[in-house]
Every structure is written in C-alpha cells, then in structure tokens.
Amino acid sequence: MTTASHPAEHHHMMGLTLHNTAMGIGVVFLLVGVLGFIPGITTNYSAMTFAGHESGAMLLGVFQVSVLHNIVHLLFGAAGIAMARTGQMARWFLLGGGIVYLLLWIYGLVIDMNTGANFVPFNTADNWLHFVLGVAMIGLGLWLGRDAMDKMRGSAP
C-alpha cells in the first residue's frame, strides 16, 4: 500500500521553496540592476538617459534601459530579498511582482514606444520578458505558496 505524499515534498526535494525562489529572483534583479550600469554589458552606454524613450542604452544589446529602469531593478531586487524572510511575504512578492510585470507587459503593448508614455523605457524585448516574468512569478507563487497557505490553515504535513 502506498501513501499519497504532500505535493510540497516534490518541490522541496528540488530545492524550490518560497524563501529560495523569492531570494533567487531578488538576487537576479539586483544583478540586472547593477549590470545595467556597466559599460560593455550595457551597449551604447554613453547614450543612457535618466528616463524616457530616448535612452539608447541596451542591456546585453537587447533590453532598452535607463538610469530609472536600472534603479527599478535594484529596488525590486532588494524587495525580493527582504520579503524572502517569511513564506507569506515571499508569496506576496511572487504574486504581487508577477501581477506588476503582467501590467507592465500590457502597458508596453498599448503605449506608443516613441512618446513620453514610454518613460522607463521599454522595447519589444522588455515587453515579452515582462510577460514571461509575470506568468512565471505568479505560477511559482501559487505552486510554492500552497505550503504557506497550508501552514496558515494548520494543515501542513
């Protein structure tokens, strides 16, 4: 006779926990924010502006960045690391951050990229990365967040 295992046991064996996932995503965002300020990794570095669609700087030659865009990555990364301390806060970081990224994806799709509305700035590569990040963060928050919800209800294994 076999017994059913709790779904959380499978992702824990892979090292996926709310804490590790939120921490990892936070570290990646911090790294991206720092890399955005390094000439060579960011091409056309001298064309970087504080904000706006005129910024010609491209992280990895693909993603349009500005000083503001890099600062947002640094702040988002710091938030992820800070919120990774508890399961519930890590879950909120993943879900809330995912929602924000899906909203940014929609915003990037509907604005005219050559106007002041593109103040961060975004390009097509940024938009689709925002979509992938949003879906992935929400999916991870829901999947890994089952543990935190079970603990809150007192039904964790």
Side-chain angles (χ1 to χ4, degrees):
M1 174 185 262
T2 61
T3 59
S5 64
H6 190 276
E9 291 175 22
H10 300 292
H11 58 77
H12 283 295
M13 291 185 330
M14 296 184 297
L16 290 174
T17 64
L18 279 167
H19 168 77
N20 291 344
T21 302
M23 180 69 68
I25 290 173
V27 167
V28 168
F29 272 99
L30 273 179
L31 181 63
V32 167
V34 169
L35 292 176
F37 288 115
I38 299 176
I41 294 173
T42 298
T43 58
N44 302 322
Y45 187 81
S46 62
M48 185 182 301
T49 61
F50 179 77
H53 67 281
E54 302 90 9
S55 184
M58 303 288 279
L59 179 61
L60 304 174
V62 177
F63 304 101
Q64 187 177 13
V65 292
S66 65
V67 172
L68 177 61
H69 202 152
N70 293 332
I71 290 170
V72 168
H73 287 145
L74 291 168
L75 292 173
F76 195 75
I81 291 169
M83 294 177 79
R85 292 182 184 164
T86 69
Q88 189 172 11
M89 292 301 291
R91 182 174 183 268
W92 280 114
F93 170 72
L94 293 171
L95 293 175
I99 290 167
V100 166
Y101 272 98
L102 287 179
L103 291 173
L104 287 172
W105 170 64
I106 293 167
Y107 182 76
L109 291 177
V110 300
I111 64 167
D112 181 346
M113 297 283 191
N114 297 313
T115 66
N118 191 13
F119 64 93
V120 172
F122 303 137
N123 64 8
T124 301
D126 287 305
N127 286 342
W128 291 104
L129 180 60
H130 292 160
F131 173 75
V132 170
L133 285 170
V135 170
M137 289 178 73
I138 290 171
L140 287 166
L142 292 173
W143 181 47
L144 300 174
R146 295 179 301 180
D147 298 352
M149 296 307 294
D150 286 347
K151 285 179 185 173
M152 284 176 44
R153 287 191 290 265
S155 61

